[in-house]
Protein backbone atom coordinates (compact mmCIF):
# COMPACT_ATOMS: atom_id res chain seq x y z
CA UNK A 1 0.00 0.00 0.00
CA UNK A 2 1.31 3.42 -0.96
CA UNK A 3 0.12 6.75 0.45
CA UNK A 4 -0.53 9.09 -2.45
CA UNK A 5 -1.09 12.86 -2.47
CA UNK A 6 -2.61 14.28 -5.61
CA UNK A 7 -4.92 16.96 -7.01
CA UNK A 8 -8.28 15.77 -8.26
CA UNK A 9 -11.54 16.92 -9.82
CA UNK A 10 -14.61 15.03 -8.56
CA UNK A 11 -16.43 13.49 -11.52
CA UNK A 12 -19.05 11.51 -9.65
CA UNK A 13 -20.04 10.94 -6.04
CA UNK A 14 -22.35 8.09 -5.05
CA UNK A 15 -23.84 7.23 -1.65
CA UNK A 16 -22.59 3.98 -0.25
CA UNK A 17 -24.22 2.19 2.67
CA UNK A 18 -25.27 4.41 5.58
CA UNK A 19 -22.46 6.87 5.92
CA UNK A 20 -19.96 6.45 3.10
CA UNK A 21 -19.42 7.70 -0.42
CA UNK A 22 -17.74 6.24 -3.47
CA UNK A 23 -16.20 8.93 -5.63
CA UNK A 24 -14.60 8.89 -9.03
CA UNK A 25 -11.99 11.59 -9.58
CA UNK A 26 -9.75 12.67 -12.41
CA UNK A 27 -6.43 13.25 -10.71
CA UNK A 28 -3.46 15.15 -12.02
CA UNK A 29 -0.84 12.45 -11.62
CA UNK A 30 -2.69 9.11 -11.19
CA UNK A 31 -5.39 9.48 -13.85
CA UNK A 32 -9.00 8.49 -13.20
CA UNK A 33 -9.41 6.74 -9.85
CA UNK A 34 -12.24 5.56 -7.59
CA UNK A 35 -12.05 5.96 -3.85
CA UNK A 36 -14.25 5.09 -0.93
CA UNK A 37 -14.67 7.83 1.65
CA UNK A 38 -15.74 6.19 4.90
CA UNK A 39 -17.95 8.31 7.09
CA UNK A 40 -18.27 10.96 4.39
CA UNK A 41 -21.97 11.43 5.05
CA UNK A 42 -21.53 11.78 8.78
CA UNK A 43 -22.18 15.21 10.26
CA UNK A 44 -18.64 15.22 11.55
CA UNK A 45 -17.24 14.09 8.20
CA UNK A 46 -13.57 14.96 7.80
CA UNK A 47 -14.08 15.44 4.06
CA UNK A 48 -16.55 18.36 4.15
CA UNK A 49 -17.58 19.53 0.68
CA UNK A 50 -14.46 18.03 -0.84
CA UNK A 51 -16.36 15.17 -2.43
CA UNK A 52 -19.06 17.03 -4.35
CA UNK A 53 -18.97 16.98 -8.16
CA UNK A 54 -17.55 20.17 -9.68
CA UNK A 55 -15.07 20.62 -6.87
CA UNK A 56 -11.37 20.37 -7.22
CA UNK A 57 -9.17 19.54 -4.32
CA UNK A 58 -6.12 17.98 -2.82
CA UNK A 59 -6.59 14.40 -1.79
CA UNK A 60 -4.63 11.80 0.16
CA UNK A 61 -5.45 8.15 -0.43
CA UNK A 62 -4.06 4.66 0.08
CA UNK A 63 -3.27 3.11 -3.28
CA UNK A 64 -3.60 -0.66 -3.26
CA UNK A 65 -2.24 -2.37 -6.33
CA UNK A 66 -4.61 -4.84 -8.01
CA UNK A 67 -7.59 -2.99 -6.54
CA UNK A 68 -9.94 -0.68 -8.41
CA UNK A 69 -11.29 1.00 -5.27
CA UNK A 70 -8.90 2.84 -2.96
CA UNK A 71 -9.38 4.22 0.52
CA UNK A 72 -9.58 8.00 0.83
CA UNK A 73 -7.82 9.42 3.84
CA UNK A 74 -8.36 13.18 3.43
CA UNK A 75 -9.68 15.79 0.98
CA UNK A 76 -9.50 19.60 0.89
CA UNK A 77 -11.38 21.78 -1.57
CA UNK A 78 -9.05 24.10 -3.49
CA UNK A 79 -11.64 25.29 -5.97
CA UNK A 80 -15.39 24.86 -6.42
CA UNK A 81 -17.02 25.72 -9.74
CA UNK A 82 -20.05 27.23 -8.06
CA UNK A 83 -21.06 29.86 -10.63
CA UNK A 84 -21.52 27.15 -13.23
CA UNK A 85 -23.67 25.22 -10.75
CA UNK A 86 -26.12 28.09 -10.36
CA UNK A 87 -27.04 28.50 -14.04
CA UNK A 88 -28.87 25.76 -16.00
CA UNK A 89 -26.75 26.14 -19.15
CA UNK A 90 -23.45 26.23 -17.25
CA UNK A 91 -24.53 23.40 -14.97
CA UNK A 92 -25.50 21.06 -17.81
CA UNK A 93 -22.39 21.77 -19.88
CA UNK A 94 -20.06 21.42 -16.89
CA UNK A 95 -21.66 18.16 -15.73
CA UNK A 96 -21.59 16.89 -19.33
CA UNK A 97 -17.82 17.40 -19.27
CA UNK A 98 -17.56 15.34 -16.05
CA UNK A 99 -19.78 12.62 -17.49
CA UNK A 100 -17.77 12.53 -20.74
CA UNK A 101 -14.44 12.14 -18.91
CA UNK A 102 -15.97 9.55 -16.59
CA UNK A 103 -17.11 7.52 -19.62
CA UNK A 104 -14.15 7.68 -21.99
CA UNK A 105 -11.05 7.79 -19.78
CA UNK A 106 -9.53 4.41 -18.81
CA UNK A 107 -8.91 3.83 -15.09
CA UNK A 108 -5.58 4.69 -13.49
CA UNK A 109 -3.88 5.78 -16.67
CA UNK A 110 -1.95 8.97 -15.75
CA UNK A 111 -2.65 11.85 -18.12
CA UNK A 112 -1.86 15.33 -16.71
CA UNK A 113 -2.69 16.92 -20.05
CA UNK A 114 -6.28 15.72 -19.79
CA UNK A 115 -6.53 16.99 -16.22
CA UNK A 116 -5.37 20.47 -17.28
CA UNK A 117 -7.75 20.44 -20.20
CA UNK A 118 -10.74 19.60 -17.98
CA UNK A 119 -9.73 22.23 -15.45
CA UNK A 120 -9.37 24.90 -18.14
CA UNK A 121 -12.78 23.99 -19.54
CA UNK A 122 -14.49 24.19 -16.14
CA UNK A 123 -12.80 27.54 -15.47
CA UNK A 124 -14.09 28.91 -18.78
CA UNK A 125 -17.66 27.78 -18.09
CA UNK A 126 -17.51 28.96 -14.49
CA UNK A 127 -16.40 32.45 -15.51
CA UNK A 128 -19.13 32.78 -18.18
CA UNK A 129 -21.89 30.21 -17.55
CA UNK A 130 -24.63 31.99 -19.52
CA UNK A 131 -22.68 32.36 -22.75
CA UNK A 132 -24.76 30.74 -25.51
CA UNK A 133 -21.51 29.53 -27.09
CA UNK A 134 -21.02 27.15 -24.16
CA UNK A 135 -22.36 24.19 -26.14
CA UNK A 136 -19.85 24.78 -28.96
CA UNK A 137 -17.05 25.15 -26.39
CA UNK A 138 -18.16 21.84 -24.99
CA UNK A 139 -17.91 20.13 -28.39
CA UNK A 140 -14.41 21.59 -28.78
CA UNK A 141 -13.49 20.31 -25.33
CA UNK A 142 -14.77 16.85 -26.29
CA UNK A 143 -12.74 16.60 -29.49
CA UNK A 144 -9.66 17.98 -27.76
CA UNK A 145 -9.96 15.39 -24.96
CA UNK A 146 -10.57 12.57 -27.45
CA UNK A 147 -7.48 13.70 -29.32
CA UNK A 148 -5.37 13.61 -26.13
CA UNK A 149 -6.50 9.99 -25.76
CA UNK A 150 -5.41 9.20 -29.31
CA UNK A 151 -8.65 9.70 -31.24
CA UNK A 152 -7.66 12.51 -33.57
CA UNK A 153 -9.56 13.22 -36.78
CA UNK A 154 -7.38 13.18 -39.91
CA UNK A 155 -7.40 16.71 -41.28
CA UNK A 156 -4.18 16.86 -43.31
CA UNK A 157 -4.78 14.26 -46.03
CA UNK A 158 -7.61 12.06 -47.23
CA UNK A 159 -8.61 9.86 -44.31
CA UNK A 160 -9.61 7.08 -46.73
CA UNK A 161 -6.84 6.85 -49.38
CA UNK A 162 -4.21 8.99 -47.62
CA UNK A 163 -3.87 11.01 -50.81
CA UNK A 164 -3.31 14.74 -50.83
CA UNK A 165 -6.11 16.93 -52.03
CA UNK A 166 -6.63 20.47 -53.15
CA UNK A 167 -10.32 20.42 -52.42
CA UNK A 168 -11.79 17.99 -49.95
CA UNK A 169 -15.34 16.73 -50.37
CA UNK A 170 -16.27 16.92 -46.69
CA UNK A 171 -15.84 15.06 -43.42
CA UNK A 172 -16.13 11.27 -43.71
CA UNK A 173 -17.56 9.93 -40.46
CA UNK A 174 -16.40 6.31 -40.82
CA UNK A 175 -13.06 7.29 -42.38
CA UNK A 176 -12.50 9.60 -39.40
CA UNK A 177 -11.51 12.78 -41.20
CA UNK A 178 -11.53 14.79 -44.39
CA UNK A 179 -12.03 12.78 -47.56
CA UNK A 180 -11.05 13.63 -51.14
CA UNK A 181 -13.54 13.87 -53.99
CA UNK A 182 -12.57 10.45 -55.38
CA UNK A 183 -13.31 8.67 -52.09
CA UNK A 184 -16.40 10.68 -51.26
CA UNK A 185 -18.89 8.42 -53.05
CA UNK A 186 -18.55 5.47 -50.73
CA UNK A 187 -18.84 7.40 -47.52
CA UNK A 188 -21.29 9.26 -45.30
CA UNK A 189 -20.04 12.81 -45.77
CA UNK A 190 -20.85 15.77 -43.55
CA UNK A 191 -20.24 19.31 -44.78
CA UNK A 192 -17.34 21.19 -43.19
CA UNK A 193 -16.62 24.68 -44.53
CA UNK A 194 -13.04 25.97 -44.51
CA UNK A 195 -13.92 28.38 -41.69
CA UNK A 196 -15.14 25.53 -39.50
CA UNK A 197 -12.11 23.45 -40.45
CA UNK A 198 -9.80 26.28 -39.39
CA UNK A 199 -11.39 26.34 -35.93
CA UNK A 200 -11.14 22.60 -35.57
CA UNK A 201 -7.46 22.72 -36.51
CA UNK A 202 -6.81 25.57 -34.07
CA UNK A 203 -8.37 23.65 -31.18
CA UNK A 204 -6.58 20.40 -31.99
CA UNK A 205 -3.28 22.17 -32.57
CA UNK A 206 -2.97 23.12 -28.93
CA UNK A 207 -0.91 20.86 -26.72
CA UNK A 208 -2.41 21.56 -23.35
CA UNK A 209 -5.76 23.27 -23.26
CA UNK A 210 -8.08 24.13 -26.12
CA UNK A 211 -8.08 27.80 -27.10
CA UNK A 212 -11.79 28.39 -26.86
CA UNK A 213 -11.47 32.05 -27.85
CA UNK A 214 -10.79 30.79 -31.34
CA UNK A 215 -14.41 29.84 -31.58
CA UNK A 216 -15.66 33.30 -30.63
CA UNK A 217 -15.30 34.47 -34.22
CA UNK A 218 -17.41 31.57 -35.35
CA UNK A 219 -20.70 32.09 -37.16
CA UNK A 220 -23.81 30.05 -36.54
CA UNK A 221 -23.47 27.83 -39.62
CA UNK A 222 -19.94 26.91 -38.50
CA UNK A 223 -21.28 26.00 -35.08
CA UNK A 224 -23.89 23.67 -36.53
CA UNK A 225 -21.29 21.96 -38.74
CA UNK A 226 -18.83 21.51 -35.91
CA UNK A 227 -21.45 20.13 -33.54
CA UNK A 228 -22.56 17.60 -36.19
CA UNK A 229 -19.03 16.58 -37.25
CA UNK A 230 -17.63 16.21 -33.72
CA UNK A 231 -20.72 14.42 -32.38
CA UNK A 232 -20.72 11.91 -35.29
CA UNK A 233 -16.96 11.35 -35.07
CA UNK A 234 -17.11 10.58 -31.34
CA UNK A 235 -20.15 8.30 -31.56
CA UNK A 236 -18.57 6.35 -34.40
CA UNK A 237 -15.01 6.03 -33.13
CA UNK A 238 -15.11 6.03 -29.32
CA UNK A 239 -16.13 2.54 -28.32
CA UNK A 240 -19.00 2.47 -25.86
CA UNK A 241 -19.77 6.17 -26.25
CA UNK A 242 -23.44 6.73 -26.96
CA UNK A 243 -23.91 10.35 -26.06
CA UNK A 244 -24.40 11.95 -22.66
CA UNK A 245 -27.28 12.14 -20.21
CA UNK A 246 -26.39 15.72 -19.26
CA UNK A 247 -26.66 16.80 -22.91
CA UNK A 248 -30.07 15.21 -23.32
CA UNK A 249 -31.22 17.20 -20.26
CA UNK A 250 -29.74 20.34 -21.78
CA UNK A 251 -31.59 19.79 -25.06
CA UNK A 252 -34.87 19.34 -23.22
CA UNK A 253 -34.22 22.50 -21.24
CA UNK A 254 -33.38 24.48 -24.43
CA UNK A 255 -36.58 23.26 -26.10
CA UNK A 256 -38.57 24.38 -23.08
CA UNK A 257 -36.93 27.83 -23.17
CA UNK A 258 -37.78 28.15 -26.87
CA UNK A 259 -41.41 27.17 -26.30
CA UNK A 260 -41.73 29.69 -23.49
CA UNK A 261 -40.28 32.54 -25.55
CA UNK A 262 -42.46 31.57 -28.56
CA UNK A 263 -45.54 31.64 -26.38
CA UNK A 264 -44.55 35.02 -24.94
CA UNK A 265 -43.93 36.58 -28.36
CA UNK A 266 -47.22 35.26 -29.79
CA UNK A 267 -49.29 36.27 -26.77
CA UNK A 268 -51.90 38.97 -27.48
CA UNK A 269 -50.89 42.38 -26.18
ZN1 LIG B 1 -9.21 9.74 -50.92
Amino acid sequence: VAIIEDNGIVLRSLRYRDTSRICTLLTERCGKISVIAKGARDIKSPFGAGLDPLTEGQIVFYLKSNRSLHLLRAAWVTRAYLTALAVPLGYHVATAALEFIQKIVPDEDPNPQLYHSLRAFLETIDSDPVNPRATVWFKMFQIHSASILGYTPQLDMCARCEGEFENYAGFGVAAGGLVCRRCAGAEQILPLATGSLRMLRAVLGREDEPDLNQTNRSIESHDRELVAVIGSFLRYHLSGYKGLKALRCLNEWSEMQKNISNRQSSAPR
Side-chain angles (χ1 to χ4, degrees):
V1 179
I3 299 181
I4 307 281
E5 267 187 64
D6 206 340
N7 299 312
I9 296 169
V10 181
L11 302 175
R12 191 169 71 162
S13 181
L14 302 171
R15 291 168 174 216
Y16 182 72
R17 296 212 170 139
D18 281 346
T19 58
S20 300
R21 277 191 178 279
I22 291 180
C23 300
T24 307
L25 300 105
L26 185 70
T27 65
E28 188 167 17
R29 290 185 292 276
C30 300
K32 190 179 86 181
I33 60 157
S34 292
V35 293
I36 180 161
K38 290 190 173 162
R41 288 164 54 221
D42 233 335
I43 298 170
K44 287 176 283 182
S45 161
F47 304 111
L51 302 176
D52 294 332
L54 290 177
T55 56
E56 185 178 351
Q58 260 182 305
I59 58 166
V60 178
F61 65 100
Y62 299 104
L63 182 88
K64 263 194 187 169
S65 46
N66 304 326
R67 287 284 183 87
S68 58
L69 188 62
H70 309 287
L71 179 64
L72 188 69
R73 159 92 188 276
W76 303 269
V77 179
T78 51
R79 167 134 199 203
Y81 299 94
L82 296 176
T83 325
L85 267 178
V87 181
L89 178 63
Y91 171 76
H92 282 111
V93 172
T95 50
L98 303 184
E99 187 188 346
F100 182 65
I101 293 293
Q102 151 88 21
K103 282 187 171 159
I104 67 157
V105 176
D107 286 340
E108 297 180 27
D109 185 14
N111 197 329
Q113 210 185 336
L114 201 60
Y115 179 82
H116 295 142
S117 178
L118 176 61
R119 185 162 63 182
F121 179 72
L122 293 178
E123 272 169 11
T124 304
I125 296 301
D126 201 43
S127 62
D128 193 2
V130 290
N131 196 314
R133 307 200 53 75
T135 48
V136 179
W137 292 343
F138 176 65
K139 277 284 168 268
M140 292 303 196
F141 163 75
Q142 277 188 298
I143 195 69
H144 186 259
S145 307
S147 172
I148 292 175
L149 291 168
Y151 303 93
T152 310
Q154 174 59 268
L155 303 178
D156 300 321
M157 53 175 137
C158 174
R160 187 55 74 192
C161 69
E162 301 193 346
E164 287 180 19
F165 47 70
E166 263 175 51
N167 293 305
Y168 58 91
F171 190 92
V173 176
L178 298 181
V179 289
C180 72
R181 295 200 182 280
R182 269 167 302 154
C183 297
E187 189 87 33
Q188 187 205 345
I189 299 284
L190 296 176
L192 191 69
T194 48
S196 317
L197 176 60
R198 208 176 309 125
M199 280 185 283
L200 198 52
R201 280 197 170 123
V203 165
L204 291 172
R206 294 281 290 237
E207 278 273 296
D208 215 351
E209 54 212 50
D211 182 4
L212 296 171
N213 290 327
Q214 278 292 336
T215 64
N216 282 343
R217 289 193 297 273
S218 168
I219 53 174
E220 223 185 305
S221 67
H222 289 166
D223 288 357
R224 278 198 301 273
E225 283 182 2
L226 287 166
V227 167
V229 160
I230 294 171
S232 307
F233 175 83
L234 296 175
R235 276 192 301 275
Y236 194 93
H237 293 280
L238 282 182
S239 63
Y241 175 70
K242 301 265 182 297
L244 299 168
K245 249 187 280 170
L247 284 191
R248 282 194 288 278
C249 294
L250 177 63
N251 290 339
E252 281 166 23
W253 177 75
S254 311
E255 282 300 310
M256 224 164 63
Q257 295 292 308
K258 251 184 255 162
N259 289 342
I260 291 169
S261 65
N262 285 347
R263 226 172 290 153
Q264 279 168 346
S265 60
S266 63
R269 277 161 220 208

Coordinates of all heavy atoms in Angstrom, one line a residue, residues 174-203:
A174 N -17.0 7.6 -41.1 CA -16.4 6.3 -40.8 C -14.9 6.4 -41.1 O -14.1 5.8 -40.3 CB -17.0 5.3 -41.7
A175 N -14.5 7.2 -42.1 CA -13.1 7.3 -42.4 C -12.4 8.0 -41.2 O -11.2 7.9 -41.0 CB -12.9 8.0 -43.7
G176 N -13.1 8.9 -40.5 CA -12.5 9.6 -39.4 C -11.7 10.9 -39.8 O -10.8 11.2 -39.1
G177 N -12.2 11.5 -40.8 CA -11.5 12.8 -41.2 C -12.0 13.3 -42.6 O -13.0 12.8 -43.1
L178 N -11.2 14.2 -43.1 CA -11.5 14.8 -44.4 C -11.3 13.7 -45.5 O -10.4 12.9 -45.4 CB -10.6 16.0 -44.7 CG -10.7 17.2 -43.7 CD1 -9.7 18.3 -44.2 CD2 -12.1 17.7 -43.7
V179 N -12.2 13.7 -46.4 CA -12.0 12.8 -47.6 C -12.0 13.5 -48.9 O -12.6 14.6 -49.0 CB -13.1 11.7 -47.6 CG1 -13.0 10.7 -46.5 CG2 -14.5 12.3 -47.6
C180 N -11.2 13.0 -49.8 CA -11.0 13.6 -51.1 C -12.3 13.3 -52.0 O -13.1 12.5 -51.6 CB -9.8 13.1 -51.8 SG -9.8 11.4 -52.4
R181 N -12.3 14.0 -53.1 CA -13.5 13.9 -54.0 C -13.7 12.5 -54.6 O -14.8 12.0 -54.8 CB -13.5 14.9 -55.1 CG -13.6 16.3 -54.6 CD -14.0 17.3 -55.6 NE -14.1 18.7 -55.1 CZ -15.1 19.1 -54.4 NH1 -16.1 18.4 -54.1 NH2 -15.0 20.4 -53.9
R182 N -12.5 11.8 -54.8 CA -12.6 10.4 -55.4 C -13.2 9.5 -54.4 O -13.9 8.5 -54.7 CB -11.2 10.0 -55.8 CG -10.8 10.3 -57.2 CD -9.3 10.1 -57.4 NE -8.6 11.0 -56.4 CZ -7.4 10.7 -55.9 NH1 -6.7 9.7 -56.2 NH2 -6.8 11.6 -55.0
C183 N -12.8 9.6 -53.1 CA -13.3 8.7 -52.1 C -14.7 9.0 -51.6 O -15.3 8.2 -50.9 CB -12.4 8.6 -50.9 SG -10.7 8.1 -51.3
A184 N -15.2 10.2 -51.9 CA -16.4 10.7 -51.3 C -17.6 9.8 -51.5 O -18.5 9.8 -50.7 CB -16.7 12.1 -51.7
G185 N -17.7 9.1 -52.7 CA -18.9 8.4 -53.0 C -19.3 7.3 -52.1 O -20.5 7.1 -51.8
A186 N -18.3 6.7 -51.5 CA -18.5 5.5 -50.7 C -18.8 5.8 -49.3 O -18.7 4.9 -48.4 CB -17.4 4.5 -50.9
E187 N -19.0 7.0 -48.9 CA -18.8 7.4 -47.5 C -20.0 8.3 -47.1 O -20.5 9.0 -47.9 CB -17.5 8.2 -47.5 CG -17.0 8.6 -46.2 CD -16.1 7.5 -45.6 OE1 -15.4 6.8 -46.3 OE2 -16.1 7.4 -44.4
Q188 N -20.4 8.2 -45.8 CA -21.3 9.3 -45.3 C -20.5 10.5 -45.1 O -19.6 10.6 -44.3 CB -21.9 8.8 -44.0 CG -23.0 9.8 -43.5 CD -23.3 9.7 -42.0 OE1 -22.8 8.8 -41.3 NE2 -23.9 10.7 -41.5
I189 N -20.8 11.6 -45.8 CA -20.0 12.8 -45.8 C -20.8 13.9 -45.1 O -22.0 14.1 -45.4 CB -19.7 13.3 -47.2 CG1 -18.9 12.2 -47.9 CG2 -19.0 14.6 -47.2 CD1 -17.5 12.2 -47.5
L190 N -20.2 14.6 -44.1 CA -20.8 15.8 -43.6 C -20.1 17.0 -44.1 O -18.9 17.0 -44.3 CB -20.7 15.7 -42.0 CG -21.4 14.6 -41.3 CD1 -21.1 14.6 -39.8 CD2 -22.9 14.6 -41.5
P191 N -20.9 18.1 -44.3 CA -20.2 19.3 -44.8 C -19.4 19.9 -43.7 O -19.7 19.8 -42.5 CB -21.4 20.2 -45.1 CG -22.6 19.7 -44.3 CD -22.3 18.2 -44.1
L192 N -18.2 20.5 -44.1 CA -17.3 21.2 -43.2 C -16.7 22.3 -44.0 O -15.7 22.1 -44.7 CB -16.3 20.2 -42.6 CG -15.5 20.7 -41.4 CD1 -16.3 20.9 -40.2 CD2 -14.3 19.8 -41.1
A193 N -17.2 23.5 -43.8 CA -16.6 24.7 -44.5 C -15.2 25.0 -44.1 O -14.8 24.6 -43.0 CB -17.5 25.9 -44.3
T194 N -14.4 25.7 -44.9 CA -13.0 26.0 -44.5 C -12.9 26.8 -43.2 O -12.0 26.6 -42.4 CB -12.3 26.7 -45.6 OG1 -13.1 27.8 -46.0 CG2 -12.0 25.9 -46.8
G195 N -13.9 27.6 -42.9 CA -13.9 28.4 -41.7 C -14.1 27.5 -40.5 O -13.4 27.6 -39.5
S196 N -15.0 26.5 -40.6 CA -15.1 25.5 -39.5 C -13.9 24.7 -39.3 O -13.5 24.4 -38.2 CB -16.3 24.6 -39.8 OG -17.4 25.3 -40.3
L197 N -13.3 24.3 -40.5 CA -12.1 23.4 -40.4 C -11.0 24.2 -39.7 O -10.2 23.6 -38.9 CB -11.7 23.1 -41.9 CG -10.4 22.3 -42.0 CD1 -10.5 21.0 -41.3 CD2 -10.1 22.1 -43.5
R198 N -10.9 25.5 -40.0 CA -9.8 26.3 -39.4 C -9.9 26.2 -37.9 O -8.9 26.1 -37.1 CB -9.9 27.7 -39.9 CG -8.5 28.4 -39.9 CD -8.6 29.8 -40.5 NE -9.3 29.8 -41.8 CZ -10.3 30.6 -42.1 NH1 -10.9 31.4 -41.3 NH2 -10.8 30.5 -43.4
M199 N -11.2 26.3 -37.4 CA -11.4 26.3 -35.9 C -11.1 25.0 -35.3 O -10.5 24.9 -34.3 CB -12.8 26.7 -35.6 CG -13.1 28.2 -35.7 SD -14.7 28.6 -35.2 CE -15.6 28.1 -36.6
L200 N -11.4 23.9 -36.0 CA -11.1 22.6 -35.6 C -9.6 22.4 -35.5 O -9.1 21.9 -34.5 CB -11.8 21.6 -36.5 CG -12.0 20.2 -36.1 CD1 -12.7 20.1 -34.8 CD2 -12.7 19.4 -37.1
R201 N -8.9 22.9 -36.5 CA -7.5 22.7 -36.5 C -6.8 23.5 -35.4 O -5.9 23.0 -34.7 CB -6.9 23.2 -37.8 CG -7.0 22.2 -39.0 CD -6.1 22.6 -40.1 NE -6.0 21.6 -41.1 CZ -6.3 21.7 -42.4 NH1 -6.6 22.9 -42.8 NH2 -6.2 20.7 -43.2
A202 N -7.4 24.7 -35.1 CA -6.8 25.6 -34.1 C -7.0 24.9 -32.7 O -6.0 24.9 -31.9 CB -7.5 26.9 -34.1
V203 N -8.1 24.3 -32.5 CA -8.4 23.6 -31.2 C -7.5 22.4 -31.0 O -6.9 22.2 -30.0 CB -9.9 23.3 -31.0 CG1 -10.1 22.3 -29.9 CG2 -10.7 24.5 -30.8

